[in-house]
């Protein structure tokens, strides 16, 4: 939505009287016409209702959150760690139980180790923190919404809409999500998604998955799902067979110093494989 603000030109006549000279001098000052066009992103009712249900204002008013996180697929643990992230998603830190730290400082992703060739670092640092932040990132710059309709989610019909991204947004702008909200509570209870990280779009779209949120708890008035399950997905049936699960514990809103996200002398940068 565009709003125009116009500064109207005016002519101002200033009369200057000089005591030394009885002649009056008139100085004409002309103000320049300026037109400013300010872009204001319009929030659609679908996402606005989710943000309200998840108390986005309270979430954004906090500086950072931390939580204990564990995720497994096929019975094998992928990651157990403490995660600290700024609520605006601009900086993230993952402290693994193996004592390796993965950090995103707003510009680069790096691992604070020279011995751990951790190829999944970029995926981990942008995926799990994104899933916990999803209700608050629905109207980020570069987000596009389409195809709003009812879709099957378990035994119910939930409101859903497709989220995609402008070119150049994040590591994987070709990713998309189908977001599901409970029509009675407006809580975001799940999302279908593809993972194009390290692969082409055709391959990613041939294997879509879904995350299902449950066991919600409130922390300072903000609801968080403490159990996530991962499933195969198709548009007709919604989520199907479970393939993984994650648990979130000890969620806290905290204040952190900037040096939490700084490199160490042994840090190695992890580049984006999609570029």
């Amino acid at each position: 939505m565009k709003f125009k603000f116009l500064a109207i030109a005016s002519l101002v006549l200033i009369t200057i009287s000089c005591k030394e000279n009885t002649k009056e001098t008139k100085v004409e000052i002309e103000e320049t016409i300026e037109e400013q066009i300010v872009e204001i992103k319009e929030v659609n009712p679908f996402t606005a209702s989710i943000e309200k249900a998840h108390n986005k204002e309270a979430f954004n008013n906090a500086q950072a959150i931390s939580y204990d996180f564990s995720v497994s697929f096929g019975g094998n643990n992928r990651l157990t760690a403490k995660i600290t992230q700024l609520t605006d998603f601009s900086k993230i830190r993952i402290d693994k139980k193996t004592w390796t730290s993965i950090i995103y400082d707003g510009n680069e992703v790096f691992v604070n180790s020279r011995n751990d060739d951790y190829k999944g670092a970029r995926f981990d640092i942008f995926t799990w923190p994104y899933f916990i932040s999803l209700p608050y990132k629905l109207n980020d710059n570069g987000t596009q919404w389409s195809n709003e309709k009812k879709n099957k989610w378990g035994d119910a019909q939930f409101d859903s809409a497709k989220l995609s991204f402008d070119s150049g947004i994040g590591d994987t702008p070709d990713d998309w999500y189908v977001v599901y909200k409970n029509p009675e509570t407006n809580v975001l209870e799940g999302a279908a998604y593809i993972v194009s990280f390290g692969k082409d779009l055709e391959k990613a779209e041939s294997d879509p998955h879904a995350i299902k949120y449950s066991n919600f708890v409130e922390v300072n008035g903000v609801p968080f799902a403490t159990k996530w399950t991962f499933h195969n997905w198709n548009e007709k049936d919604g989520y199907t067979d479970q393939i993984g699960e994650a648990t979130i514990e000890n969620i806290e809103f905290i204040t952190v110093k900037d040096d939490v996200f700084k490199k160490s002398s042994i840090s190695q940068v992890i580049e984006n494989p999609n570029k």
Side-chain angles (χ1 to χ4, degrees):
M1 181 178 294
K2 294 183 179 179
F3 292 89
K4 293 186 178 180
F5 300 91
L6 298 179
I8 306 299
S10 62
L11 295 178
V12 181
L13 296 178
I14 301 177
T15 301
I16 302 175
S17 297
C18 300
K19 291 183 179 179
E20 296 80 11
N21 192 333
T22 57
K23 181 180 179 181
E24 289 187 344
T25 304
K26 291 184 178 180
V27 180
E28 189 177 84
I29 300 175
E30 182 176 346
E31 293 183 354
T32 304
I33 297 177
E34 293 183 356
E35 179 176 317
Q36 294 180 329
I37 299 177
V38 179
E39 293 279 358
I40 298 178
K41 185 177 178 68
E42 186 173 11
V43 177
N44 67 49
F46 178 84
T47 59
S49 61
I50 294 173
E51 291 174 344
K52 183 177 180 181
H54 286 265
N55 203 349
K56 181 179 179 178
E57 183 177 0
F59 182 86
N60 285 347
N61 283 339
Q63 187 215 15
I65 56 170
S66 69
Y67 48 96
D68 295 329
F69 179 79
S70 182
V71 61
S72 300
F73 287 91
N76 299 312
N77 179 265
R78 176 184 173 89
L79 177 69
T80 298
K82 183 178 184 66
I83 300 179
T84 303
Q85 62 188 86
L86 299 188
T87 55
D88 66 4
F89 210 69
S90 61
K91 295 181 181 181
I92 308 165
R93 180 182 178 116
I94 296 178
D95 292 303
K96 297 172 61 182
K97 292 296 184 182
T98 57
W99 305 105
T100 298
S101 296
I102 313 163
I103 297 174
Y104 172 59
D105 66 357
N107 294 303
E108 295 179 315
V109 174
F110 47 89
V111 177
N112 279 345
S113 171
R114 286 179 179 161
N115 301 318
D116 191 351
D117 182 18
Y118 190 44
K119 295 180 180 178
R122 287 191 77 97
F123 177 84
D124 281 339
I125 205 158
F126 290 131
T127 300
W128 318 121
Y130 187 84
F131 279 141
I132 201 171
S133 303
L134 185 56
Y136 316 105
K137 297 187 67 60
L138 304 178
N139 288 292
D140 281 2
N141 289 334
T143 54
Q144 300 291 336
W145 288 92
S146 62
N147 204 26
E148 187 173 338
K149 61 182 179 179
K150 293 281 188 181
N151 260 326
K152 185 178 180 183
W153 189 253
D155 295 327
Q157 291 289 317
F158 274 15
D159 298 329
S160 71
K162 185 175 183 179
L163 168 62
S164 56
F165 305 92
D166 290 344
S167 177
I169 299 296
D171 272 11
T172 53
D174 289 333
D175 283 357
W176 50 255
Y177 296 79
V178 177
V179 173
Y180 293 79
K181 71 165 184 170
N182 187 313
E184 296 181 0
T185 64
N186 291 321
V187 169
L188 196 163
E189 291 200 14
Y193 62 93
I194 63 167
V195 177
S196 61
F197 186 85
K199 64 184 77 167
D200 62 45
L201 181 59
E202 183 179 358
K203 185 175 181 180
E205 290 189 320
S206 70
D207 189 27
H209 296 121
I211 179 172
K212 182 175 180 289
Y213 297 109
S214 60
N215 293 14
F216 284 85
V217 300
E218 281 199 3
V219 180
N220 295 358
V222 178
F224 291 97
T226 59
K227 181 179 180 181
W228 306 348
T229 53
F230 298 91
H231 303 258
N232 292 319
W233 175 88
N234 64 73
E235 187 172 5
K236 178 183 176 182
D237 301 317
Y239 67 86
T240 57
D241 301 332
Q242 183 175 328
I243 58 174
E245 62 182 355
T247 56
I248 297 89
E249 298 177 324
N250 302 319
I251 304 167
E252 294 182 288
F253 286 105
I254 60 172
T255 301
V256 295
K257 294 182 178 179
D258 200 50
D259 58 7
V260 168
F261 306 102
K262 286 186 176 179
K263 290 181 182 179
S264 73
S265 59
I266 60 171
S267 295
Q268 57 175 328
V269 175
I270 308 297
E271 302 291 350
N272 180 3
N274 285 32
K275 292 184 178 180

